[in-house]
């Protein structure tokens, strides 16, 4: 189980570009958690994403997501919200992954 990760950089900053933020959330933050558990993106069985501006950024999010998540796809629920705890954050990703 991985509680929500956001696209915050190592220095604590967050990109204003949505695609960069989504890539950081998947590639750096979520990827680090999966690797630490000895898992990969293919081990994700369920994903919930919380979006500020869901309709505005969904296409960019899906393009980034598709670089990391491939078939067979996990169950995915995307929820639009008004804000996240970290100022400027546009997405929070929560997953469940299975051990091999």
């Amino acid at each position: 189980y991985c509680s929500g990760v956001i696209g915050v950089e190592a220095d604590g900053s967050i990109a204003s570009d949505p695609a960069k933020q989504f890539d950081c959330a998947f590639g750096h933050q979520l990827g680090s958690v999966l690797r630490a558990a000895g898992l990969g993106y293919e081990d994700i069985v369920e994903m919930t994403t919380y979006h500020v501006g869901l309709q505005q950024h969904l296409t960019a999010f899906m393009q980034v997501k598709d670089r990391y998540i491939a078939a067979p796809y996990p169950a995915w629920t995307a929820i639009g919200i008004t804000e996240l705890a970290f100022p400027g954050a546009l997405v929070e990703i929560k997953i469940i992954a299975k051990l091999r």
Side-chain angles (χ1 to χ4, degrees), residues 7 18 34 38 48-49 53 64 80 99:
L34 288 167
T48 304
T49 54
V64 172
L99 292 173

Side-chain angles (χ1 to χ4, degrees), residues 30-90:
L30 186 56
S32 295
V33 171
L34 288 167
R35 283 188 299 278
L39 300 169
Y41 296 98
E42 68 277 5
D43 298 309
I44 297 172
V45 296
E46 184 176 352
M47 179 171 69
T48 304
T49 54
Y50 302 90
H51 301 260
V52 175
L54 174 64
Q55 294 302 316
Q56 180 183 1
H57 303 295
L58 188 58
T59 299
F61 180 82
M62 290 179 66
Q63 289 172 346
V64 172
K65 174 190 70 67
D66 288 346
R67 291 199 311 258
Y68 295 95
I69 308 292
Y73 299 103
W76 174 34
T77 302
I79 302 168
I81 59 172
T82 58
E83 64 183 339
L84 289 163
F86 195 97
L90 297 174

